[in-house]
Structure formats: C-alpha cells, structure tokens
Amino acid sequence: MKKSIRKAIAIGLSAATVMSLVACGSSEEKKEDTTQTATESKDTTDNTEAAGTDMSILKGKKISFMTAQAKFSEEYNGMAAMMKEKYGCDVEFQVVPDNEYYSLLKVKLSTSEVPDVFEYNMPGQNVEIGVADYCLDLSNEPWVSRLENPDLIKDNGKIYGLPKESSSTFLAVYYNKEVLKNCGITDPHPKTYNEFLDILKTVKEKGNGTTPLYMTNADTWTTQIFMGSGFPVTLGDKSTETWKALLENKIKWTEIPECQEVLTNFVNLIKDGYVNKDHLSVGYDTVPEAIGTGKAAMYIIHEPGVQEIRTKYPDLEIGAFVLPYGDHDILPIGSFVQGLAIPKEGKQTDVVKAFLNGWSDPEVQAVYYKTKPGFPGFSDVDGGDVEPCVQKLVDEYVKTGKYVYQINDEMPQCGTLWADLWSYYVEAAAETKTPSAVFETFQKQYVDFMEQQGAAGF
C-alpha cells in the first residue's frame, strides 16, 4: 500500500501547473501523458459522451446523495449546480450527523432503504460496510481509466466507489504563524515530544491569553486523531506486528504500554492547561474562528481543515509540523480516500452510474478544487494551488517514505467499534475514566465483538 501511494505522489506536474499525484512512470513520460489527456479532454465537447455513456438519461432525474456532516462541503452545492446545468439533474443531499452516519448507513443498506449514492472512506471501510455485498462493482465504468491512483482503492481487484482524492489525510499540527511568531517561535520543527511541550509552554507564557492547542472534543472524530496517530508512530517498527497480534488475540489492549503512554500524554495536555477550557463542549465548526482570529495557536487535524480555515481567513499564514509522538519524526497519514458508492438495491442504478460519470467530469470537479485545492482523484482535473504547508509535508515525509498509517486504517475489522473507543477517550479527557480504565473497558468490548464475528483466535 505504501508503495502505491509513494508512486502516486512521487512525480509532480510542471511548476506552471498545480501539484497533482501520478501513479507510475518516469517524470518526463508522465508529463507527456498528462498533457495529452488534458488536450484530448479539451478537444472533446463532452468527454463523458465520448466515453460512450448516455448522459441524457440524467435529464429530469433527482439523485439522493447521502453523506456525513464532516464530509459534506459547501462546494458540493456548486458541483450539484454544475450537474444541473450540464445534465439537467437535481441532487438532494442528505447530510447526517457524524456520530450517527455509519450506523444509519448500515441499517439502510441492510434493509434496502437506500440512497442513490453515499460517501464513505474507501477502501478502509469496505469490510465494515460490506460494499462487496451491498454495492455495485464499478470497475468497468468509463471514469476508471482516468484515475490517478487506482491501486489505492482496489479491493480484490475491484473498484466500488468513485474517489474524490488520489491520497489524503496528512495528520499534523497546523498553526497560526503570526501567533507563534509573536511568541518568538518561527518555523517550529520539534524532534522530541518534550520539544513539542516546550512550544506549548512558550505560547502559554507569552501568548497573552492565547490557547496553545485547540481541542474540539464535542466531535469525537477530532478527539481520536491524537491517539489514532500517536499509537502507530510511538510503536514505530512494532506497529504492524502489534495490530496483527491484537487481531489474532495474542495480546490485549491493556498490554500495549505505548497506547497507555499516548493517551496519558493527551490527558496531561488538558490537565496542564495547554488547551481551551471549553474543549468538551465545542465542535469542529469552531476551528476556523479559533485559529483564524488568534484565539488559539495550534490545532491537530488533516489538510481539509487547513482549507476550512483558509476559506474564512484568506490572508492568514498557516504553518505545519509533525507531532513527534514517542520522539519519532514520522507523519501519520490515512490509507484511504473519500469515495461515492452505489447501493445495489437503488431504484435507478443506471441513472446513478451516469451521475457518477458526470460527477467525475473535470469541469464539475474543478468547482470543488477551485476553493479546496488538493490532490484530485483524476489525472485530468486541476487540483488548484495546494497550501504550501501541506505541500511541504508531502515533500518531506510522504515522498521520502517517512510515514505510517493511522490505526483506523490498519485495523478496518474494528471499524464498528471505533466510535465507542473514541467516546472513552472523551471520558478520559473529562477525567471520568483513567487511561488504564479506557483500555480495560475497551478490551472487554473488543473481545465480545471479535467473538461475535467469529474471528480466528477468539
């Protein structure tokens, strides 16, 4: 998996174009291929029609599009408007609260009361959701030939969703440069965890009331980033064998001191006064204002969070550095992208296949990347001007292989359980559960779940 991502990110387009990711081949060869693809696209009035898809089937149709609150972007409305203009169809977005999304989605899939299309993390959640059983195989759709990094999303050689990105989820500390500069800190690059704490301490002492590290524990998916990133980074070379041993019931969650260490460090950040006092009651939607206005200096998140801040505060200078969990200078990333899948039990699957083909159109995709620059899933889509601090992470860590996958992607069999573990983290943050109690509680739940699944070794 690392190899495919490394190939996807290793070769940039020319400086005159946006940085986008490619799958393989030499730099010169790929540039020529990409240029040719873009030219052919421009020479064709409608590349979806040229691919042999009857897009007229969309006219007058309404597509129900189910997604989670954290996945939904205002840019989707612009893409829907473009779909209406080009193909005459309407898109009805069904935006579900994050903590309810996957449970509701699985109920819908199992009862055949499905949306036309839904968004999920692919391929990491393929097993949890059961896409092979409930969703269409899209491997032969016309847009597949244009994918930037198809190997990342294949599951037993098949593709079950249309990807938004070619790679994603660069988990780091993103910060307001001006705030840190006013505290005497420029271009921070802590090599040890204590050096990271020194940065927090400096901001606390010199920041005139600025919160050093912002937390939004009302949204548990943001809480878990510290642990989901910290566990594999701290474990280092033992990471893969540890997850394997857990999945085979050869060790217990309570027997991994590195996990205990990371969670304890997380709780201590709160106890030591480095985070906002209202961390238990505020959610992700408060981040742009907190960082953009200088109320807080730093926030741990992935790259879409940077663009959320940039959208509201376009003149803000944002920096990033890797949090050295366990004194390891390694970037945690995701081995997944956002994808759109079509349920087999949908009432208009042929129409929705055409919809996905239209959604992949470079003109439609450009609506998203115009204001949310990134790494598109398609080779002929302009990803825009990527945030410099994100590009720096890609250059220094992803391209050089200095990264590990977050725990959520390494143990997809446990996807159903993560929400409960994340809630236990919040209990630790609220000091109603000790770190050791978190893993004691989760270990019992984990064993029960794996036994119910008939997992080997349980």
Side-chain angles (χ1 to χ4, degrees):
M1 189 76 74
K2 283 187 180 181
K3 184 177 180 181
S4 65
I5 289 186
R6 198 174 298 124
K7 283 183 178 180
I9 301 178
I11 309 170
L13 298 181
S14 66
T17 61
V18 59
M19 169 66 184
S20 117
L21 307 184
V22 294
C24 60
S26 71
S27 178
E28 292 304 315
E29 291 172 344
K30 191 60 184 181
K31 286 181 182 178
E32 292 173 2
D33 291 344
T34 302
T35 301
Q36 184 179 10
T37 301
T39 302
E40 291 172 352
S41 176
K42 290 179 181 178
D43 290 343
T44 303
T45 302
D46 190 328
N47 62 4
T48 54
E49 293 287 1
T53 299
D54 179 10
M55 302 302 286
S56 66
I57 194 175
L58 286 171
K59 190 172 182 178
K61 298 297 194 299
K62 179 180 288 186
I63 307 297
S64 58
F65 185 130
M66 182 176 169
T67 187
Q69 189 170 5
K71 298 179 186 299
F72 180 78
S73 168
E74 282 301 320
E75 284 74 10
Y76 283 13
N77 288 324
M79 296 173 75
M82 180 65 73
M83 290 292 294
K84 176 73 171 180
E85 178 184 336
K86 288 176 69 70
Y87 306 115
C89 64
D90 291 301
V91 183
E92 179 184 64
F93 292 108
Q94 301 172 356
V95 184
V96 180
D98 300 322
N99 60 350
E100 301 174 10
Y101 183 64
Y102 284 106
S103 58
L104 178 60
L105 174 61
K106 284 183 281 190
V107 168
K108 284 181 173 291
L109 290 173
S110 64
T111 60
S112 300
E113 296 181 2
V114 296
D116 289 321
V117 64
F118 67 87
E119 191 167 19
Y120 79 108
N121 295 348
M122 58 184 288
Q125 292 180 312
N126 282 10
V127 175
E128 176 189 354
I129 295 171
V131 294
D133 294 326
Y134 294 119
C135 300
L136 296 181
D137 176 2
L138 304 176
S139 304
N140 295 318
E141 291 303 296
W143 45 263
V144 170
S145 64
R146 298 165 39 233
L147 288 176
E148 191 71 64
N149 188 16
D151 289 342
L152 176 64
I153 60 174
K154 286 182 178 178
D155 185 341
N156 291 323
K158 296 182 179 181
I159 293 175
Y160 292 98
L162 182 147
K164 181 164 66 178
E165 314 97 345
S166 55
S167 63
S168 70
T169 315
F170 312 125
L171 300 160
V173 179
Y174 294 94
Y175 61 89
N176 183 319
K177 283 190 174 183
E178 183 178 0
V179 169
L180 289 195
K181 183 179 179 180
N182 291 339
C183 296
I185 303 171
T186 57
D187 196 23
H189 189 166
K191 297 293 183 64
T192 68
Y193 189 77
N194 281 335
E195 288 180 6
F196 168 63
L197 294 180
D198 287 341
I199 294 173
L200 298 180
K201 183 178 180 181
T202 299
V203 175
K204 183 178 180 181
E205 293 176 348
K206 299 181 178 181
N208 296 319
T210 297
T211 296
L213 183 66
Y214 199 63
M215 285 191 183
T216 53
N217 294 324
D219 284 330
T220 61
W221 71 268
T222 67
T223 306
Q224 61 87 24
I225 291 175
F226 193 95
M227 276 60 68
S229 301
F231 293 168
V233 173
T234 303
L235 280 161
D237 293 339
K238 298 189 298 180
S239 179
T240 300
E241 65 184 63
T242 299
W243 311 143
K244 185 174 185 293
L246 277 172
L247 290 171
E248 295 175 351
N249 202 25
K250 293 180 179 178
I251 62 171
K252 301 177 180 179
W253 284 90
T254 53
E255 297 172 342
I256 309 173
E258 291 85 354
C259 292
Q260 178 87 21
E261 173 190 336
V262 172
L263 182 53
T264 298
N265 286 340
F266 174 77
V267 173
N268 285 341
L269 292 175
I270 300 168
K271 289 182 177 180
D272 293 340
Y274 292 135
V275 311
N276 44 305
K277 293 182 180 179
D278 60 354
H279 66 94
L280 291 172
S281 60
V282 296
Y284 177 68
D285 62 323
T286 65
V287 173
E289 181 181 355
I291 301 298
T293 62
K295 174 184 174 182
M298 293 166 272
Y299 187 67
I300 302 171
I301 194 62
H302 50 8
E303 67 281 4
V306 179
Q307 196 56 46
E308 294 283 351
I309 300 170
R310 167 72 66 226
T311 299
K312 294 189 177 181
Y313 299 90
D315 298 326
L316 184 69
E317 289 191 67
I318 303 173
F321 63 81
V322 168
L323 201 165
Y325 302 95
D327 298 343
H328 295 151
D329 188 26
I330 298 173
L331 175 70
I333 70 173
S335 65
F336 69 92
V337 295
Q338 306 300 312
L340 297 180
I342 303 176
K344 291 178 180 178
E345 295 297 323
K347 303 299 188 293
Q348 48 179 357
T349 54
D350 286 342
V351 172
V352 185
K353 282 185 178 182
F355 170 77
L356 287 191
N357 200 39
W359 195 257
S360 78
D361 186 292
E363 191 175 6
V364 176
Q365 290 281 306
V367 174
Y368 179 86
Y369 285 103
K370 181 178 180 180
T371 51
K372 285 190 178 300
F375 307 100
F378 297 93
S379 59
D380 53 359
V381 174
D382 184 347
D385 296 323
V386 177
E387 189 69 31
C389 66
V390 176
Q391 187 66 66
K392 186 177 180 181
L393 291 174
V394 171
D395 291 341
E396 295 183 1
Y397 292 91
V398 183
K399 286 184 180 181
T400 60
K402 293 176 59 178
Y403 64 88
V404 294
Y405 293 133
Q406 61 176 339
I407 186 176
N408 303 342
D409 303 329
E410 293 282 43
M411 299 180 67
Q413 299 92 330
C414 304
T416 304
L417 291 176
W418 293 140
D420 289 331
L421 179 57
W422 301 351
S423 69
Y424 300 151
Y425 294 155
V426 175
E427 291 183 51
E431 297 187 57
T432 57
K433 247 187 180 65
T434 64
S436 60
V438 165
F439 295 111
E440 289 168 3
T441 301
F442 186 65
Q443 173 63 23
K444 296 176 183 177
Q445 188 173 349
Y446 173 73
V447 170
D448 288 344
F449 173 79
M450 296 298 276
E451 288 178 347
Q452 291 172 19
Q453 301 304 308
F458 289 85

